[in-house]
């Protein structure tokens, strides 16, 4: 079945620095790759997504890149702020459902 | 739109008791997903429905778990009998899909607030 690997599991950056989280997927048929942000005690919330016909997508300080050949995609957060601190999950579509990575805990130090 | 609604928000029960979690998807959405989240196992998909029909229940841990979707606006996840290892946060999510093979509609899933289940 489909598998999604996410790295790193924890990431600590200084406020203002950039953060990068990487994911790899196993099924070349996957065509949709969302990223969710989950704050402590809250639900996962979609922050950005990308489809397989696009290589890069940007929304203000966040961007996602996709390399279909290598089967990996990444989340980039620039000018990080303390409110970016949360757990981030990547996911890949497979058979009508989403397979989630294990999550990355991002800590932004003021 | 009220978003995905789940109840109860917190449930504390004793081992062996039956637990029923409820979910109301976003109006107009035709796909519904039940997830379980724990520190050890992360976010796991338990089962999902499309047009009220269960499509994939391969994530359901064992026969103690069952899920139903009697109509487009309501779903339940039942655990009977409950065990301490079932303690977790259970999320329901919904989306709109035209076809299951990836064509049409939207993959975006919207999560409910979750039910925190504690089995003692």
């Amino acid at each position: 079945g489909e598998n999604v690997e996410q790295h790193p599991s924890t990431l600590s950056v200084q406020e203002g620095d950039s953060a990068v989280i990487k994911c790899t997927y196993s099924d070349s048929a996957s065509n949709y790759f969302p990223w969710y942000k989950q704050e402590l005690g809250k639900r996962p919330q979609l922050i950005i997504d990308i489809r397989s016909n696009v290589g890069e997508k940007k929304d203000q300080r966040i961007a996602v890149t996709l390399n279909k050949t290598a089967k990996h995609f990444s989340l980039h957060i620039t000018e990080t702020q303390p409110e970016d601190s949360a757990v981030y999950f990547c996911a890949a579509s497979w058979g009508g459902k989403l397979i989630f990575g294990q999550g990355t805990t991002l800590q932004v130090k003021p | 739109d009220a978003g995905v609604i789940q109840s109860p928000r917190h449930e504390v029960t004793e081992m062996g008791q039956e637990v029923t979690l409820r979910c109301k998807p976003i109006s107009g959405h035709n796909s519904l997903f039940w997830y379980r989240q724990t520190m050890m196992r992360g976010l796991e998909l338990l089962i999902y429905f499309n047009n009220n029909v269960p499509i994939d229940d391969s994530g359901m841990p064992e026969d103690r778990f069952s899920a139903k979707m009697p109509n487009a606006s309501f779903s339940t996840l039942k655990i009977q009998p409950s065990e301490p290892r079932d303690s977790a946060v259970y999320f329901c999510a919904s989306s709109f899909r035209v076809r299951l093979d990836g064509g049409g509609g939207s993959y975006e899933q919207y999560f409910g607030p979750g039910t925190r289940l504690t089995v003692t």
Side-chain angles (χ1 to χ4, degrees):
Chain A
E2 171 72 345
N3 185 50
V4 176
E5 296 287 335
Q6 183 172 346
H7 299 280
S9 57
T10 60
L11 180 58
S12 183
V13 300
Q14 223 37 62
E15 182 178 359
D17 288 350
S18 295
V20 181
I21 303 170
K22 298 181 179 181
C23 290
T24 60
Y25 60 99
S26 58
D27 192 341
S28 56
S30 295
N31 61 3
Y32 174 70
F33 308 91
W35 286 87
Y36 284 81
K37 175 184 180 182
Q38 186 177 28
E39 297 176 348
L40 190 63
K42 301 290 183 62
R43 74 189 80 186
Q45 292 200 301
L46 179 68
I47 56 171
I48 195 168
D49 56 14
I50 192 167
R51 298 185 186 274
S52 58
N53 58 349
V54 176
E56 183 174 359
K57 184 176 178 181
K58 190 174 182 180
D59 183 4
Q60 299 182 341
R61 294 186 299 108
I62 60 174
V64 58
T65 58
L66 171 65
N67 183 326
K68 287 175 56 181
T69 303
K71 290 190 283 188
H72 66 69
F73 55 112
S74 302
L75 177 71
H76 303 253
I77 306 174
T78 58
E79 302 171 24
T80 53
Q81 302 167 2
E83 51 265 38
D84 294 330
S85 296
V87 179
Y88 291 81
F89 293 94
C90 64
S93 63
W94 188 69
K97 58 189 180 185
L98 293 178
I99 305 300
F100 284 84
Q102 285 298 97
T104 296
T105 299
L106 173 63
Q107 180 187 27
V108 180
K109 293 183 279 189
Chain B
D1 194 331
V4 177
I5 298 172
Q6 290 186 248
S7 64
R9 295 293 307 278
H10 302 273
E11 178 78 32
V12 180
T13 191
E14 292 184 346
M15 182 174 62
Q17 297 298 307
E18 177 179 296
V19 175
T20 299
L21 311 182
R22 297 171 176 80
C23 175
K24 176 179 169 56
I26 293 172
S27 177
H29 282 188
N30 65 349
S31 293
L32 184 139
F33 306 80
W34 281 102
Y35 292 91
R36 178 173 66 177
Q37 186 174 40
T38 62
M39 288 296 294
M40 289 298 294
R41 300 177 67 88
L43 197 59
E44 303 174 275
L45 177 65
L46 300 178
I47 185 171
Y48 82 94
F49 297 83
N50 183 261
N51 293 326
N52 312 337
V53 176
I55 302 302
D56 184 345
D57 65 354
S58 59
M60 295 287 261
E62 50 202 88
D63 292 346
R64 296 185 298 107
F65 285 69
S66 63
K68 294 181 180 179
M69 192 164 186
N71 57 62
S73 58
F74 184 66
S75 177
T76 60
L77 178 67
K78 186 175 293 186
I79 308 173
Q80 166 64 18
S82 58
E83 296 181 3
R85 58 192 168 123
D86 301 330
S87 297
V89 179
Y90 291 81
F91 287 104
C92 174
S94 71
S95 69
F96 175 69
R97 297 291 310 284
V98 174
R99 301 202 316 258
L100 294 177
D101 63 358
S106 169
Y107 278 103
E108 288 90 336
Q109 290 186 20
Y110 297 90
F111 283 75
T115 295
R116 182 173 295 277
L117 173 65
T118 303
V119 183
T120 61

